[in-house]
Amino acid sequence: NKKGIRWLLMSSQGENGFSIKGVMAVINPKALIEDNYITAAREEDFGLVERIFNNEATNISPIILELGLCSLNRVDPCLNIDLQELGMPCSPEQMIALIKKGNIPASYKEREEYDAKKRRKVTDKNSFYLTNKSSVINFYWKYPQQKRKHPNYLHREDSRYVIRFEVQCGYLKLYAMSKGKKKESKLYKRDEGISMDELFKRIEANEIYHPSIPMDVVLTDRILEEVVQKYFYKVIRKGDYLTLDDARDIVLSYHFRRDKEERMIYALESVKEYHGIAGAKSKLYGPDLNDFKRSLKDLDDILVNPVTIPRRWNIKHISNPLSAYYDSIYAEQLIPGQEYWAGRHIDEILSK
């Protein structure tokens, strides 16, 4: 009954009449150690999570392995973006609206659920939820999610301006992430070259510790931050949000070759016309689609987001949420030269 941890009994039928039984633990680290359903956990929290888990496991059964010896089945690297803390000039609803116009990577599709009132499938207005076989990419407004999942949580108000970005990595994704790193694990015990008798002795003594996905080589800040950044840029891209007019002016100010300039502006206009990057991609084929993808990378280089701000919002500029987050937590962040000057150039154009 410990908050932040759920125990699930698992059973599956194997070959030759054997059945495989096990226990799965679903852990929310911050809820487990602090009763906190908003803040994201970090690598430094693992030690305390491990101690609490082991105590709980001992109370249930002596045969449940310690946490470090268990294999991972799913991990949700995530990032909380508090719009108010970052001084963003938009509401959570507006930010979600921009995010939902982002890219849908190849092999992913946006989740739809049946709406009885509308009599058709619709997407969630407060999230951008993308799925494939091995992972889920989810941007969502934390505040309404808390009302639905934890209606009695006393600190729900702290999530009012929080947009969470989460990558739910399933077993296949985790296996790929850990490939080549398993033997770096402190939990990995080599068994190459030992006799069958020795192997059985180790099994009887519970000394065979080969988690297929060791926690200590996956649950690190560096690896999980890389996952967050990779998928954030796949969906949102690297650039800041601007009005279409200002985005066009910034492209023109670089005096690119005419064909490149026209290609980039056409990409901006296509995203506007088809209500998002994914919508524009769905309307283009062959060489036109290739040109569009090249233009997305070119816009990344000058930090201009292909998704533009609706004129009716009366907002000229919204920083890229991930860049704004990095600026807030890394006092001396090393910004690549090209990105630094591109950011300065946007400021200069908008100040005119």
Side-chain angles (χ1 to χ4, degrees):
N1 295 326
K2 183 76 175 178
K3 287 185 179 180
I5 184 168
R6 289 187 292 126
W7 300 92
L8 305 174
L9 294 176
M10 312 295 292
S11 179
S12 62
Q13 198 65 34
E15 296 180 359
N16 301 321
F18 288 102
S19 62
I20 302 171
K21 299 183 184 298
V23 176
M24 178 182 291
V26 181
I27 303 171
N28 181 326
K30 280 296 186 181
L32 183 65
I33 63 180
E34 297 177 4
D35 192 22
N36 187 319
Y37 291 93
I38 299 173
T39 306
R42 296 188 66 82
E43 183 180 352
E44 63 191 26
D45 297 314
F46 184 77
L48 184 53
V49 169
E50 186 173 30
R51 289 195 293 275
I52 296 173
F53 175 95
N54 291 342
N55 287 336
E56 290 293 310
T58 301
N59 292 333
I60 295 172
S61 170
I63 68 171
I64 297 179
L65 293 176
E66 294 182 352
L67 181 61
L69 304 178
C70 299
S71 181
L72 291 170
N73 189 59
R74 173 177 149 182
V75 174
D76 298 355
C78 64
L79 171 69
N80 281 345
I81 298 168
D82 191 311
L83 303 179
Q84 190 173 57
E85 282 187 7
L86 297 178
M88 305 286 261
C90 61
S91 67
E93 293 93 335
Q94 288 172 324
M95 179 57 73
I96 286 292
L98 293 173
I99 288 169
K100 285 175 73 69
K101 293 180 181 179
N103 182 42
I104 299 178
S107 81
Y108 286 84
K109 63 179 181 179
E110 187 172 7
R111 182 179 65 178
E112 295 181 320
E113 295 182 338
Y114 184 75
D115 186 310
K117 291 182 179 179
K118 296 181 179 179
R119 297 184 179 180
R120 60 184 174 87
K121 286 188 173 183
V122 298
T123 61
D124 187 341
K125 68 176 182 178
N126 292 316
S127 73
F128 192 42
Y129 192 102
L130 311 176
T131 65
N132 78 357
K133 291 182 179 180
S134 65
S135 61
V136 169
I137 303 171
N138 188 15
F139 290 82
Y140 62 95
W141 183 15
K142 192 73 174 166
Y143 188 71
Q145 185 255 11
Q146 286 294 297
K147 181 179 181 180
R148 186 175 70 254
K149 297 190 71 174
H150 307 289
N152 299 319
Y153 182 51
L154 295 177
H155 304 288
R156 176 178 171 239
E157 202 60 31
D158 293 344
S159 68
R160 181 172 288 277
Y161 297 96
V162 173
I163 303 295
R164 172 165 284 192
F165 170 54
E166 188 171 88
V167 184
Q168 299 171 10
C169 300
Y171 183 84
L172 293 176
K173 181 69 69 177
L174 291 173
Y175 190 83
M177 288 166 58
S178 65
K179 195 173 183 180
K181 296 186 175 70
K182 292 181 185 179
K183 294 185 181 181
E184 297 174 15
S185 171
K186 297 175 183 177
L187 310 171
Y188 189 91
K189 188 169 183 178
R190 299 176 66 87
D191 58 14
E192 293 93 335
I194 68 172
S195 68
M196 290 301 294
D197 287 342
E198 178 63 23
L199 181 61
F200 282 120
K201 285 180 182 178
R202 291 188 183 183
I203 292 174
E204 289 176 354
N206 201 25
E207 292 179 353
I208 296 297
Y209 304 141
H210 278 185
S212 58
I213 304 173
M215 295 186 184
D216 61 338
V217 298
V218 174
L219 296 181
T220 69
D221 287 345
R222 180 182 63 82
I223 288 178
L224 300 184
E225 284 177 7
E226 286 175 358
V227 172
V228 166
Q229 185 181 87
K230 174 183 175 181
Y231 287 95
F232 192 99
Y233 288 151
K234 276 181 177 287
V235 175
I236 301 297
R237 311 300 303 185
K238 288 187 174 182
D240 291 357
Y241 294 111
L242 306 157
T243 65
L244 179 58
D245 289 341
D246 286 335
R248 189 187 292 114
D249 286 347
I250 289 169
V251 171
L252 294 172
S253 72
Y254 277 90
H255 304 292
F256 293 124
R257 294 186 324 270
R258 185 170 180 178
D259 62 325
K260 180 177 179 178
E261 187 178 88
E262 290 177 348
R263 178 168 51 75
M264 293 170 72
I265 291 175
Y266 178 72
L268 290 168
E269 292 171 344
S270 296
V271 171
K272 175 80 170 180
E273 180 179 358
Y274 297 113
H275 309 291
I277 300 172
K281 278 171 54 180
S282 70
K283 301 295 182 180
L284 299 169
Y285 304 92
D288 290 338
L289 180 57
N290 292 334
D291 283 348
F292 180 76
K293 291 179 178 178
R294 283 175 61 200
S295 298
L296 294 182
K297 293 179 180 178
D298 292 335
L299 290 167
D300 280 346
D301 289 341
I302 61 173
L303 299 186
V304 170
N305 204 295
V307 175
T308 53
I309 301 171
R311 188 178 300 172
R312 66 182 181 276
W313 290 4
N314 293 317
I315 300 173
K316 285 181 66 68
H317 179 214
I318 300 173
S319 297
N320 182 282
L322 187 57
S323 298
Y325 172 79
Y326 284 157
D327 288 343
S328 72
I329 64 170
Y330 298 126
E332 297 181 359
Q333 181 189 0
L334 294 177
I335 303 173
Q338 180 181 352
E339 293 184 13
Y340 174 79
W341 290 112
R344 288 281 301 272
H345 189 68
I346 289 175
D347 291 340
E348 290 172 4
I349 297 296
L350 294 180
S351 65
K352 291 181 179 179

PDB file of all heavy atoms in Angstrom, residues 312-340:
ATOM      1  N   ARG A 312      -3.722  36.297 -34.022  1.00  0.00           N
ATOM      2  CA  ARG A 312      -4.744  36.725 -33.055  1.00  0.00           C
ATOM      3  C   ARG A 312      -4.260  36.646 -31.614  1.00  0.00           C
ATOM      4  O   ARG A 312      -4.877  37.236 -30.726  1.00  0.00           O
ATOM      5  CB  ARG A 312      -6.014  35.885 -33.229  1.00  0.00           C
ATOM      6  CG  ARG A 312      -5.854  34.426 -32.872  1.00  0.00           C
ATOM      7  CD  ARG A 312      -7.139  33.635 -33.111  1.00  0.00           C
ATOM      8  NE  ARG A 312      -6.991  32.220 -32.742  1.00  0.00           N
ATOM      9  CZ  ARG A 312      -6.470  31.298 -33.541  1.00  0.00           C
ATOM     10  NH1 ARG A 312      -6.035  31.645 -34.757  1.00  0.00           N
ATOM     11  NH2 ARG A 312      -6.369  30.047 -33.133  1.00  0.00           N
ATOM     12  N   TRP A 313      -3.160  35.915 -31.350  1.00  0.00           N
ATOM     13  CA  TRP A 313      -2.655  35.818 -29.983  1.00  0.00           C
ATOM     14  C   TRP A 313      -1.945  37.098 -29.535  1.00  0.00           C
ATOM     15  O   TRP A 313      -1.729  37.300 -28.344  1.00  0.00           O
ATOM     16  CB  TRP A 313      -1.676  34.651 -29.852  1.00  0.00           C
ATOM     17  CG  TRP A 313      -2.317  33.293 -29.953  1.00  0.00           C
ATOM     18  CD1 TRP A 313      -3.623  33.001 -30.214  1.00  0.00           C
ATOM     19  CD2 TRP A 313      -1.648  32.023 -29.789  1.00  0.00           C
ATOM     20  NE1 TRP A 313      -3.821  31.643 -30.241  1.00  0.00           N
ATOM     21  CE2 TRP A 313      -2.633  31.014 -29.974  1.00  0.00           C
ATOM     22  CE3 TRP A 313      -0.342  31.647 -29.520  1.00  0.00           C
ATOM     23  CZ2 TRP A 313      -2.320  29.655 -29.885  1.00  0.00           C
ATOM     24  CZ3 TRP A 313      -0.030  30.296 -29.425  1.00  0.00           C
ATOM     25  CH2 TRP A 313      -1.014  29.314 -29.602  1.00  0.00           C
ATOM     26  N   ASN A 314      -1.533  37.918 -30.469  1.00  0.00           N
ATOM     27  CA  ASN A 314      -0.778  39.138 -30.151  1.00  0.00           C
ATOM     28  C   ASN A 314       0.498  38.833 -29.358  1.00  0.00           C
ATOM     29  O   ASN A 314       0.861  39.535 -28.412  1.00  0.00           O
ATOM     30  CB  ASN A 314      -1.646  40.142 -29.375  1.00  0.00           C
ATOM     31  CG  ASN A 314      -2.779  40.696 -30.218  1.00  0.00           C
ATOM     32  OD1 ASN A 314      -2.574  41.031 -31.392  1.00  0.00           O
ATOM     33  ND2 ASN A 314      -3.959  40.771 -29.659  1.00  0.00           N
ATOM     34  N   ILE A 315       1.167  37.755 -29.732  1.00  0.00           N
ATOM     35  CA  ILE A 315       2.463  37.376 -29.144  1.00  0.00           C
ATOM     36  C   ILE A 315       3.473  37.286 -30.284  1.00  0.00           C
ATOM     37  O   ILE A 315       3.221  36.611 -31.285  1.00  0.00           O
ATOM     38  CB  ILE A 315       2.374  36.009 -28.418  1.00  0.00           C
ATOM     39  CG1 ILE A 315       1.344  36.056 -27.286  1.00  0.00           C
ATOM     40  CG2 ILE A 315       3.739  35.590 -27.867  1.00  0.00           C
ATOM     41  CD1 ILE A 315       1.085  34.696 -26.634  1.00  0.00           C
ATOM     42  N   LYS A 316       4.590  37.968 -30.158  1.00  0.00           N
ATOM     43  CA  LYS A 316       5.570  37.985 -31.239  1.00  0.00           C
ATOM     44  C   LYS A 316       6.572  36.833 -31.154  1.00  0.00           C
ATOM     45  O   LYS A 316       7.062  36.355 -32.185  1.00  0.00           O
ATOM     46  CB  LYS A 316       6.357  39.306 -31.232  1.00  0.00           C
ATOM     47  CG  LYS A 316       5.575  40.488 -31.760  1.00  0.00           C
ATOM     48  CD  LYS A 316       6.414  41.753 -31.758  1.00  0.00           C
ATOM     49  CE  LYS A 316       7.586  41.708 -32.724  1.00  0.00           C
ATOM     50  NZ  LYS A 316       7.159  41.702 -34.132  1.00  0.00           N
ATOM     51  N   HIS A 317       6.890  36.380 -29.953  1.00  0.00           N
ATOM     52  CA  HIS A 317       8.020  35.466 -29.806  1.00  0.00           C
ATOM     53  C   HIS A 317       7.832  34.574 -28.582  1.00  0.00           C
ATOM     54  O   HIS A 317       7.542  35.059 -27.490  1.00  0.00           O
ATOM     55  CB  HIS A 317       9.319  36.284 -29.668  1.00  0.00           C
ATOM     56  CG  HIS A 317      10.551  35.450 -29.488  1.00  0.00           C
ATOM     57  ND1 HIS A 317      11.615  35.862 -28.702  1.00  0.00           N
ATOM     58  CD2 HIS A 317      10.910  34.234 -29.975  1.00  0.00           C
ATOM     59  CE1 HIS A 317      12.571  34.940 -28.727  1.00  0.00           C
ATOM     60  NE2 HIS A 317      12.158  33.945 -29.490  1.00  0.00           N
ATOM     61  N   ILE A 318       7.963  33.264 -28.778  1.00  0.00           N
ATOM     62  CA  ILE A 318       7.952  32.302 -27.671  1.00  0.00           C
ATOM     63  C   ILE A 318       9.209  31.454 -27.815  1.00  0.00           C
ATOM     64  O   ILE A 318       9.404  30.789 -28.838  1.00  0.00           O
ATOM     65  CB  ILE A 318       6.700  31.406 -27.701  1.00  0.00           C
ATOM     66  CG1 ILE A 318       5.422  32.256 -27.599  1.00  0.00           C
ATOM     67  CG2 ILE A 318       6.751  30.379 -26.571  1.00  0.00           C
ATOM     68  CD1 ILE A 318       4.146  31.455 -27.804  1.00  0.00           C
ATOM     69  N   SER A 319      10.054  31.468 -26.816  1.00  0.00           N
ATOM     70  CA  SER A 319      11.302  30.713 -26.873  1.00  0.00           C
ATOM     71  C   SER A 319      11.024  29.219 -26.999  1.00  0.00           C
ATOM     72  O   SER A 319      10.014  28.713 -26.515  1.00  0.00           O
ATOM     73  CB  SER A 319      12.136  30.951 -25.613  1.00  0.00           C
ATOM     74  OG  SER A 319      12.522  32.297 -25.512  1.00  0.00           O
ATOM     75  N   ASN A 320      11.950  28.516 -27.639  1.00  0.00           N
ATOM     76  CA  ASN A 320      11.860  27.068 -27.662  1.00  0.00           C
ATOM     77  C   ASN A 320      11.837  26.562 -26.224  1.00  0.00           C
ATOM     78  O   ASN A 320      12.714  26.913 -25.429  1.00  0.00           O
ATOM     79  CB  ASN A 320      13.057  26.482 -28.409  1.00  0.00           C
ATOM     80  CG  ASN A 320      12.988  24.976 -28.507  1.00  0.00           C
ATOM     81  OD1 ASN A 320      13.278  24.260 -27.558  1.00  0.00           O
ATOM     82  ND2 ASN A 320      12.607  24.489 -29.666  1.00  0.00           N
ATOM     83  N   PRO A 321      10.850  25.761 -25.824  1.00  0.00           N
ATOM     84  CA  PRO A 321      10.731  25.362 -24.412  1.00  0.00           C
ATOM     85  C   PRO A 321      11.956  24.652 -23.853  1.00  0.00           C
ATOM     86  O   PRO A 321      12.338  24.882 -22.703  1.00  0.00           O
ATOM     87  CB  PRO A 321       9.510  24.432 -24.415  1.00  0.00           C
ATOM     88  CG  PRO A 321       8.717  24.849 -25.606  1.00  0.00           C
ATOM     89  CD  PRO A 321       9.728  25.267 -26.634  1.00  0.00           C
ATOM     90  N   LEU A 322      12.597  23.791 -24.659  1.00  0.00           N
ATOM     91  CA  LEU A 322      13.773  23.080 -24.153  1.00  0.00           C
ATOM     92  C   LEU A 322      14.950  24.024 -23.973  1.00  0.00           C
ATOM     93  O   LEU A 322      15.673  23.953 -22.981  1.00  0.00           O
ATOM     94  CB  LEU A 322      14.151  21.930 -25.085  1.00  0.00           C
ATOM     95  CG  LEU A 322      15.269  21.008 -24.581  1.00  0.00           C
ATOM     96  CD1 LEU A 322      14.905  20.397 -23.224  1.00  0.00           C
ATOM     97  CD2 LEU A 322      15.561  19.908 -25.600  1.00  0.00           C
ATOM     98  N   SER A 323      15.133  24.940 -24.903  1.00  0.00           N
ATOM     99  CA  SER A 323      16.211  25.933 -24.774  1.00  0.00           C
ATOM    100  C   SER A 323      15.989  26.810 -23.549  1.00  0.00           C
ATOM    101  O   SER A 323      16.932  27.114 -22.808  1.00  0.00           O
ATOM    102  CB  SER A 323      16.290  26.796 -26.036  1.00  0.00           C
ATOM    103  OG  SER A 323      16.598  26.018 -27.170  1.00  0.00           O
ATOM    104  N   ALA A 324      14.738  27.221 -23.333  1.00  0.00           N
ATOM    105  CA  ALA A 324      14.420  28.050 -22.169  1.00  0.00           C
ATOM    106  C   ALA A 324      14.685  27.285 -20.877  1.00  0.00           C
ATOM    107  O   ALA A 324      15.192  27.846 -19.898  1.00  0.00           O
ATOM    108  CB  ALA A 324      12.963  28.503 -22.229  1.00  0.00           C
ATOM    109  N   TYR A 325      14.380  26.001 -20.881  1.00  0.00           N
ATOM    110  CA  TYR A 325      14.629  25.165 -19.698  1.00  0.00           C
ATOM    111  C   TYR A 325      16.125  25.072 -19.430  1.00  0.00           C
ATOM    112  O   TYR A 325      16.574  25.237 -18.294  1.00  0.00           O
ATOM    113  CB  TYR A 325      14.021  23.782 -19.919  1.00  0.00           C
ATOM    114  CG  TYR A 325      14.390  22.781 -18.841  1.00  0.00           C
ATOM    115  CD1 TYR A 325      13.744  22.785 -17.615  1.00  0.00           C
ATOM    116  CD2 TYR A 325      15.392  21.837 -19.056  1.00  0.00           C
ATOM    117  CE1 TYR A 325      14.079  21.870 -16.621  1.00  0.00           C
ATOM    118  CE2 TYR A 325      15.739  20.925 -18.070  1.00  0.00           C
ATOM    119  CZ  TYR A 325      15.077  20.947 -16.856  1.00  0.00           C
ATOM    120  OH  TYR A 325      15.433  20.041 -15.878  1.00  0.00           O
ATOM    121  N   TYR A 326      16.897  24.787 -20.473  1.00  0.00           N
ATOM    122  CA  TYR A 326      18.354  24.693 -20.300  1.00  0.00           C
ATOM    123  C   TYR A 326      18.929  26.012 -19.771  1.00  0.00           C
ATOM    124  O   TYR A 326      19.793  26.023 -18.893  1.00  0.00           O
ATOM    125  CB  TYR A 326      19.026  24.339 -21.626  1.00  0.00           C
ATOM    126  CG  TYR A 326      18.897  22.891 -22.038  1.00  0.00           C
ATOM    127  CD1 TYR A 326      19.012  22.513 -23.372  1.00  0.00           C
ATOM    128  CD2 TYR A 326      18.665  21.890 -21.094  1.00  0.00           C
ATOM    129  CE1 TYR A 326      18.909  21.184 -23.759  1.00  0.00           C
ATOM    130  CE2 TYR A 326      18.551  20.563 -21.475  1.00  0.00           C
ATOM    131  CZ  TYR A 326      18.675  20.215 -22.813  1.00  0.00           C
ATOM    132  OH  TYR A 326      18.571  18.904 -23.185  1.00  0.00           O
ATOM    133  N   ASP A 327      18.457  27.125 -20.308  1.00  0.00           N
ATOM    134  CA  ASP A 327      18.943  28.436 -19.852  1.00  0.00           C
ATOM    135  C   ASP A 327      18.650  28.657 -18.375  1.00  0.00           C
ATOM    136  O   ASP A 327      19.400  29.325 -17.673  1.00  0.00           O
ATOM    137  CB  ASP A 327      18.290  29.563 -20.670  1.00  0.00           C
ATOM    138  CG  ASP A 327      18.817  29.624 -22.101  1.00  0.00           C
ATOM    139  OD1 ASP A 327      19.876  29.033 -22.367  1.00  0.00           O
ATOM    140  OD2 ASP A 327      18.159  30.258 -22.943  1.00  0.00           O
ATOM    141  N   SER A 328      17.546  28.080 -17.894  1.00  0.00           N
ATOM    142  CA  SER A 328      17.147  28.311 -16.501  1.00  0.00           C
ATOM    143  C   SER A 328      17.924  27.463 -15.508  1.00  0.00           C
ATOM    144  O   SER A 328      18.094  27.853 -14.348  1.00  0.00           O
ATOM    145  CB  SER A 328      15.646  28.028 -16.327  1.00  0.00           C
ATOM    146  OG  SER A 328      15.374  26.636 -16.380  1.00  0.00           O
ATOM    147  N   ILE A 329      18.430  26.289 -15.943  1.00  0.00           N
ATOM    148  CA  ILE A 329      19.097  25.399 -14.981  1.00  0.00           C
ATOM    149  C   ILE A 329      20.606  25.358 -15.135  1.00  0.00           C
ATOM    150  O   ILE A 329      21.303  24.968 -14.208  1.00  0.00           O
ATOM    151  CB  ILE A 329      18.528  23.962 -15.053  1.00  0.00           C
ATOM    152  CG1 ILE A 329      18.799  23.329 -16.425  1.00  0.00           C
ATOM    153  CG2 ILE A 329      17.055  23.932 -14.723  1.00  0.00           C
ATOM    154  CD1 ILE A 329      18.488  21.852 -16.463  1.00  0.00           C
ATOM    155  N   TYR A 330      21.101  25.745 -16.311  1.00  0.00           N
ATOM    156  CA  TYR A 330      22.553  25.723 -16.519  1.00  0.00           C
ATOM    157  C   TYR A 330      23.053  27.160 -16.614  1.00  0.00           C
ATOM    158  O   TYR A 330      22.951  27.796 -17.661  1.00  0.00           O
ATOM    159  CB  TYR A 330      22.915  24.952 -17.788  1.00  0.00           C
ATOM    160  CG  TYR A 330      22.511  23.498 -17.753  1.00  0.00           C
ATOM    161  CD1 TYR A 330      21.731  22.933 -18.771  1.00  0.00           C
ATOM    162  CD2 TYR A 330      22.892  22.672 -16.699  1.00  0.00           C
ATOM    163  CE1 TYR A 330      21.356  21.600 -18.741  1.00  0.00           C
ATOM    164  CE2 TYR A 330      22.528  21.334 -16.659  1.00  0.00           C
ATOM    165  CZ  TYR A 330      21.758  20.809 -17.680  1.00  0.00           C
ATOM    166  OH  TYR A 330      21.380  19.493 -17.642  1.00  0.00           O
ATOM    167  N   ALA A 331      23.599  27.653 -15.520  1.00  0.00           N
ATOM    168  CA  ALA A 331      24.030  29.058 -15.453  1.00  0.00           C
ATOM    169  C   ALA A 331      25.103  29.364 -16.492  1.00  0.00           C
ATOM    170  O   ALA A 331      25.179  30.467 -17.024  1.00  0.00           O
ATOM    171  CB  ALA A 331      24.543  29.383 -14.052  1.00  0.00           C
ATOM    172  N   GLU A 332      25.953  28.378 -16.777  1.00  0.00           N
ATOM    173  CA  GLU A 332      27.044  28.609 -17.724  1.00  0.00           C
ATOM    174  C   GLU A 332      26.942  27.619 -18.885  1.00  0.00           C
ATOM    175  O   GLU A 332      27.907  26.966 -19.262  1.00  0.00           O
ATOM    176  CB  GLU A 332      28.394  28.480 -17.021  1.00  0.00           C
ATOM    177  CG  GLU A 332      28.597  29.521 -15.925  1.00  0.00           C
ATOM    178  CD  GLU A 332      29.961  29.389 -15.252  1.00  0.00           C
ATOM    179  OE1 GLU A 332      30.717  28.483 -15.644  1.00  0.00           O
ATOM    180  OE2 GLU A 332      30.245  30.177 -14.349  1.00  0.00           O
ATOM    181  N   GLN A 333      25.744  27.491 -19.409  1.00  0.00           N
ATOM    182  CA  GLN A 333      25.547  26.557 -20.512  1.00  0.00           C
ATOM    183  C   GLN A 333      26.391  26.953 -21.715  1.00  0.00           C
ATOM    184  O   GLN A 333      26.425  28.119 -22.128  1.00  0.00           O
ATOM    185  CB  GLN A 333      24.071  26.535 -20.914  1.00  0.00           C
ATOM    186  CG  GLN A 333      23.772  25.552 -22.045  1.00  0.00           C
ATOM    187  CD  GLN A 333      22.359  25.714 -22.571  1.00  0.00           C
ATOM    188  OE1 GLN A 333      21.608  26.551 -22.087  1.00  0.00           O
ATOM    189  NE2 GLN A 333      22.001  24.937 -23.561  1.00  0.00           N
ATOM    190  N   LEU A 334      27.104  25.975 -22.280  1.00  0.00           N
ATOM    191  CA  LEU A 334      27.914  26.224 -23.468  1.00  0.00           C
ATOM    192  C   LEU A 334      27.025  26.070 -24.701  1.00  0.00           C
ATOM    193  O   LEU A 334      26.656  24.966 -25.089  1.00  0.00           O
ATOM    194  CB  LEU A 334      29.090  25.245 -23.531  1.00  0.00           C
ATOM    195  CG  LEU A 334      30.132  25.397 -22.413  1.00  0.00           C
ATOM    196  CD1 LEU A 334      31.209  24.320 -22.544  1.00  0.00           C
ATOM    197  CD2 LEU A 334      30.771  26.780 -22.468  1.00  0.00           C
ATOM    198  N   ILE A 335      26.661  27.188 -25.312  1.00  0.00           N
ATOM    199  CA  ILE A 335      25.800  27.176 -26.490  1.00  0.00           C
ATOM    200  C   ILE A 335      26.682  27.142 -27.730  1.00  0.00           C
ATOM    201  O   ILE A 335      27.605  27.954 -27.858  1.00  0.00           O
ATOM    202  CB  ILE A 335      24.909  28.435 -26.527  1.00  0.00           C
ATOM    203  CG1 ILE A 335      24.079  28.521 -25.246  1.00  0.00           C
ATOM    204  CG2 ILE A 335      24.003  28.423 -27.746  1.00  0.00           C
ATOM    205  CD1 ILE A 335      23.287  29.809 -25.114  1.00  0.00           C
ATOM    206  N   PRO A 336      26.440  26.193 -28.649  1.00  0.00           N
ATOM    207  CA  PRO A 336      27.225  26.172 -29.889  1.00  0.00           C
ATOM    208  C   PRO A 336      27.188  27.526 -30.580  1.00  0.00           C
ATOM    209  O   PRO A 336      26.159  28.217 -30.575  1.00  0.00           O
ATOM    210  CB  PRO A 336      26.516  25.096 -30.724  1.00  0.00           C
ATOM    211  CG  PRO A 336      25.858  24.206 -29.715  1.00  0.00           C
ATOM    212  CD  PRO A 336      25.438  25.123 -28.595  1.00  0.00           C
ATOM    213  N   GLY A 337      28.314  27.913 -31.178  1.00  0.00           N
ATOM    214  CA  GLY A 337      28.434  29.238 -31.774  1.00  0.00           C
ATOM    215  C   GLY A 337      27.343  29.580 -32.753  1.00  0.00           C
ATOM    216  O   GLY A 337      26.779  30.683 -32.714  1.00  0.00           O
ATOM    217  N   GLN A 338      27.000  28.613 -33.623  1.00  0.00           N
ATOM    218  CA  GLN A 338      25.969  28.876 -34.630  1.00  0.00           C
ATOM    219  C   GLN A 338      24.624  29.185 -33.970  1.00  0.00           C
ATOM    220  O   GLN A 338      23.914  30.105 -34.389  1.00  0.00           O
ATOM    221  CB  GLN A 338      25.829  27.660 -35.556  1.00  0.00           C
ATOM    222  CG  GLN A 338      24.780  27.848 -36.648  1.00  0.00           C
ATOM    223  CD  GLN A 338      24.663  26.617 -37.535  1.00  0.00           C
ATOM    224  OE1 GLN A 338      25.444  25.680 -37.439  1.00  0.00           O
ATOM    225  NE2 GLN A 338      23.677  26.620 -38.407  1.00  0.00           N
ATOM    226  N   GLU A 339      24.279  28.431 -32.926  1.00  0.00           N
ATOM    227  CA  GLU A 339      23.019  28.666 -32.236  1.00  0.00           C
ATOM    228  C   GLU A 339      23.032  29.993 -31.475  1.00  0.00           C
ATOM    229  O   GLU A 339      22.018  30.692 -31.415  1.00  0.00           O
ATOM    230  CB  GLU A 339      22.718  27.505 -31.276  1.00  0.00           C
ATOM    231  CG  GLU A 339      22.442  26.186 -31.986  1.00  0.00           C
ATOM    232  CD  GLU A 339      22.055  25.085 -31.030  1.00  0.00           C
ATOM    233  OE1 GLU A 339      21.752  25.386 -29.857  1.00  0.00           O
ATOM    234  OE2 GLU A 339      22.042  23.916 -31.457  1.00  0.00           O
ATOM    235  N   TYR A 340      24.184  30.334 -30.900  1.00  0.00           N
ATOM    236  CA  TYR A 340      24.295  31.604 -30.176  1.00  0.00           C
ATOM    237  C   TYR A 340      24.029  32.779 -31.110  1.00  0.00           C
ATOM    238  O   TYR A 340      23.224  33.674 -30.799  1.00  0.00           O
ATOM    239  CB  TYR A 340      25.686  31.732 -29.552  1.00  0.00           C
ATOM    240  CG  TYR A 340      25.933  33.080 -28.914  1.00  0.00           C
ATOM    241  CD1 TYR A 340      25.424  33.381 -27.655  1.00  0.00           C
ATOM    242  CD2 TYR A 340      26.674  34.056 -29.586  1.00  0.00           C
ATOM    243  CE1 TYR A 340      25.648  34.622 -27.074  1.00  0.00           C
ATOM    244  CE2 TYR A 340      26.907  35.304 -29.015  1.00  0.00           C
ATOM    245  CZ  TYR A 340      26.390  35.573 -27.756  1.00  0.00           C
ATOM    246  OH  TYR A 340      26.610  36.806 -27.187  1.00  0.00           O
TER     247      TYR A 340
END
